[in-house]
Amino acid sequence: KKEDDSKKLPVLSVPRRTDQPVTGIQSKKNFINTNAVAVIKGLPKKPRPICVDTRHGDKYLLENSGLVPKYTKKKDYGVTPKYVTQRNEEMKRAQEEYEASVLEHLKKNAMKRLSDEERKSLLEGLKKNWDEVYRKYQRLPVQTYTISKKMNKEKLELQMKQLEHDIGVTEKHEVIYIANE
């Protein structure tokens, strides 16, 4: 019996065909006066901006034409979006973390500063090595026919070039740091 009761449709409040509508209910509110008072006390409508483009008086609304920028009238105009500020904060945080890790790494592998005496002795040693390589280069024959002589000449040229570069770097920089490995 319980199953039969649950299958019944709920009673709808739709009036039947034979029911008559309720009539004779009257309100004592004066709608004409209340509307007149609302119009008198209300603010006047602002005229809608229009544009007349021909001599015959053809008009069109400026709002929909695209001639008036609507976006400047928005509440959030000129405000940086939240996702941009969040992304900037995340980038700053990541940069700070990176700098902190670099500082830690540098503290672990503290770099040693080269003193002026060591720098001068290094420079003198480089110049001395360059002189030795240059003497060997000058002793080579002008024409090299064999492959071994050509290879030896190229090797000496590369050594001289590297030594010149190293000498230039040490002369250019007053302070030199050496990494502890």
Side-chain angles (χ1 to χ4, degrees), residues 115-142:
S115 66
D116 290 335
E117 295 84 23
E118 291 175 337
R119 183 178 160 272
K120 287 178 184 176
S121 65
L122 175 69
L123 194 57
E124 288 173 7
L126 287 172
K127 287 182 179 180
K128 188 176 180 182
N129 288 345
W130 187 85
D131 286 337
E132 290 174 9
V133 174
Y134 185 69
R135 275 194 213 110
K136 288 180 185 176
Y137 183 77
Q138 288 293 326
R139 290 180 187 155
L140 290 175
V142 176

Side-chain angles (χ1 to χ4, degrees), residues 25-89:
I25 298 176
Q26 293 184 351
S27 172
K28 294 184 179 180
K29 183 176 181 182
N30 190 349
F31 289 100
I32 295 172
N33 285 343
T34 54
N35 286 344
V37 168
V39 168
I40 292 169
K41 288 185 176 180
L43 296 173
K45 281 186 176 180
K46 291 185 178 179
R48 297 177 79 182
I50 58 171
C51 179
V52 179
D53 64 345
T54 63
R55 62 188 174 117
H56 300 292
D58 295 335
K59 303 175 191 176
Y60 60 91
L61 296 174
L62 282 178
E63 292 175 3
N64 301 332
S65 69
L67 297 174
V68 179
K70 289 183 180 180
Y71 58 87
T72 57
K73 296 179 183 177
K74 289 184 177 180
K75 292 178 184 176
D76 60 348
Y77 177 73
V79 177
T80 307
K82 290 180 182 177
Y83 73 93
V84 174
T85 54
Q86 289 174 352
R87 187 182 66 201
N88 289 342
E89 289 172 1

Side-chain angles (χ1 to χ4, degrees), residues 94-107:
Q95 182 67 24
E96 290 171 359
E97 289 174 3
Y98 174 74
E99 289 173 359
S101 67
V102 166
L103 286 174
E104 262 185 51
H105 182 69
L106 287 177
K107 286 179 182 177

